[in-house]
Amino acid sequence: MREKNTGRPRTILLIILILAGVALTILPHWLRTGKRSLQPVILEGPGRCYPDAAPPDSLDILFRLATVTDPDFNLSIIEVGLLETLALDTSARVRVVLGLTTPYCPYLQELAQTVLDTLTNTPGVKRATVKLDPNLARHQR
Amino acid sequence: MTGKLLYRAIALGLTNGLSCIGLCLPVALPTIAGTKTTTLTGSILRVLIFLLGRLIAYLFFGFLAGLIGVTLQRFPFFHFWIIPILYLLLALLLIIYGITGLNPFPHFTLCRLMQPHLNSSRFLFLLGFLVGLSPCPPFLLALVNVIDIAGILNGIFFFLFFFLATSIYFLPLIFVGYLARFDLFRTAANIIAVITGVYFLILSFARFSPCLLKR
């Protein structure tokens, strides 16, 4: 009889402990290394440097992007081969898609922001969009 | 190693330590809480042994990074083969540890034979080492710093101080280890070990699959 009375609270406590343990262990790990970390970073912003100037051509943009260095290799992102696509439309909107050297790059956000700043500071650019996709890691291609 | 580098290693460890423990906890928590420790000293010792395994792995990476001057993360095989294999190993060890701890088959000779090994310091050290080998983002950041400074000795010292700073966040585990004196906590820890083992197994297959699909 005594066994029956202590059995139920014990089971409930055990379940609570297991749930708390799983929340403490798997959840943070999954958030750091799971699918979430492989989500692409997309940043967008208006041109900040003479947006009314003559629109730049693709080569201008390419030269600008060449000034951004990959923090890991300390080489230009163009040299490293991160540039996937560069699209420039007639209304001076730039869209750049970049891959990474490794899918779990610790500089994801930082690199995306630097590229966006570089693009929005290019004279003539009205709007820039940067997409950094960890799924396009260089060595996977 | 200059004072500036020392400061960089400690600052990096302190700022990223919480993220570090988040990645080590799935292995550290169930294994430290799953084995009965009656004294506080015993609990401290278990945490230290786990950390020692992690330290050896870190120093090994520091040595390699300082020696060859490149990060292992640049090599595709590391991401697509070594890490999934590490996860697979951790998964199997955790599942075996959890099941043996729960002791569902008390008369099963293999369980009886394995239990002393799984509760030993060697096993904790091995788990710490394996966790240390599967790098997390803060660890990769430290690795990049080591490449910057170059030199084997510098690399080892950088990782030593990075490790010491991150280890502060592991101190609550001593308390968790102390709670392992209660039967209920040990049962919960063993079940969590099995669950995290299954989680690592899924993670391992998820990482393997892009490689396997290519073939």
Side-chain angles (χ1 to χ4, degrees):
Chain A
M1 191 65 189
R2 193 169 168 266
E3 184 78 19
K4 202 177 175 183
N5 285 341
T6 55
R8 203 164 167 200
R10 194 186 140 87
T11 313
I12 293 168
L13 195 61
L14 186 67
I15 291 167
I16 292 170
L17 279 175
I18 292 166
L19 289 177
V22 169
L24 260 173
T25 55
I26 295 176
L27 207 64
H29 192 276
W30 185 77
L31 289 175
R32 296 292 305 182
T33 60
K35 208 68 189 156
R36 214 181 105 140
S37 61
L38 284 175
Q39 291 300 308
V41 171
I42 302 171
L43 297 179
E44 208 177 63
R48 287 180 287 188
C49 184
Y50 307 114
D52 297 325
D57 59 25
S58 305
L59 211 58
D60 290 334
I61 303 287
L62 213 57
F63 279 132
R64 280 280 179 165
L65 287 175
T67 62
V68 181
T69 52
D70 180 304
D72 188 13
F73 286 85
N74 218 13
L75 286 170
S76 155
I77 54 167
I78 305 291
E79 264 181 278
V80 179
L82 299 189
L83 185 66
E84 273 291 313
T85 40
L86 166 63
L88 178 68
D89 65 16
T90 46
S91 49
R93 289 167 192 263
V94 190
R95 188 181 154 79
V96 166
V97 179
L98 298 163
L100 287 170
T101 49
T102 161
Y104 301 95
C105 175
Y107 300 111
L108 194 70
Q109 198 73 37
E110 189 189 318
L111 189 62
Q113 192 58 54
T114 314
V115 174
L116 182 74
D117 290 343
T118 307
L119 291 174
T120 51
N121 285 323
T122 305
V125 168
K126 288 226 168 29
R127 195 157 192 87
T129 309
V130 177
K131 182 181 176 187
L132 222 83
D133 195 346
N135 298 302
L136 295 172
R138 201 171 63 103
H139 56 247
Q140 278 177 286
R141 282 177 259 156
Chain B
M1 193 180 183
T2 61
K4 199 180 163 189
L5 279 176
L6 185 89
Y7 168 77
R8 224 162 95 180
I10 294 173
L12 196 72
L14 286 176
T15 49
N16 291 286
L18 213 59
S19 165
C20 230
I21 192 158
L23 292 152
C24 293
L25 219 54
V27 179
L29 192 123
T31 43
I32 286 170
T35 304
K36 192 172 184 176
T37 34
T38 44
T39 59
L40 191 65
T41 325
S43 173
I44 294 171
L45 208 68
R46 281 186 72 77
V47 175
L48 286 179
I49 289 165
F50 179 84
L51 289 177
L52 185 71
R54 206 174 128 247
L55 173 69
I56 300 293
Y58 275 23
L59 292 185
F60 171 70
F61 263 113
F63 172 79
L64 266 187
L67 183 73
I68 57 177
V70 285
T71 59
L72 281 172
Q73 58 159 333
R74 287 184 192 168
F75 297 107
F77 78 86
F78 190 72
H79 273 288
F80 297 102
W81 289 106
I82 306 290
I83 293 182
I85 289 171
L86 280 173
Y87 277 157
L88 189 68
L89 257 173
L90 281 172
L92 294 177
L93 288 174
L94 281 171
I95 292 170
I96 293 170
Y97 175 84
I99 291 175
T100 316
L102 289 168
N103 206 9
F105 317 107
H107 304 296
F108 195 45
T109 324
L110 194 66
C111 279
R112 274 212 316 272
L113 285 173
M114 280 174 82
Q115 199 143 30
H117 296 289
L118 296 176
N119 291 336
S120 70
S121 312
R122 285 191 306 272
F123 182 71
L124 257 184
F125 176 85
L126 175 72
L127 285 177
F129 184 75
L130 289 176
V131 164
L133 284 185
S134 43
C136 51
F139 175 86
L140 293 178
L141 272 173
L143 212 54
V144 171
N145 274 278
V146 170
I147 306 307
D148 281 350
I149 58 180
I152 299 169
L153 212 61
N154 275 347
I156 290 176
F157 273 113
F158 190 93
F159 265 98
L160 178 68
F161 284 100
F162 172 75
F163 162 81
L164 288 176
T166 53
S167 295
I168 291 170
Y169 295 92
F170 284 79
L171 293 179
L173 277 178
I174 295 170
F175 176 68
V176 172
Y178 196 58
L179 288 175
R181 57 172 49 202
F182 302 109
D183 185 42
L184 194 70
F185 270 92
R186 285 202 306 278
T187 311
N190 285 316
I191 294 171
I192 294 166
V194 176
I195 296 171
T196 40
V198 172
Y199 164 72
F200 275 121
L201 206 62
I202 295 167
L203 218 60
S204 159
F205 284 123
R207 289 219 178 184
F208 262 132
S209 54
C211 302
L212 298 175
L213 286 172
K214 271 186 191 171
R215 270 139 224 279

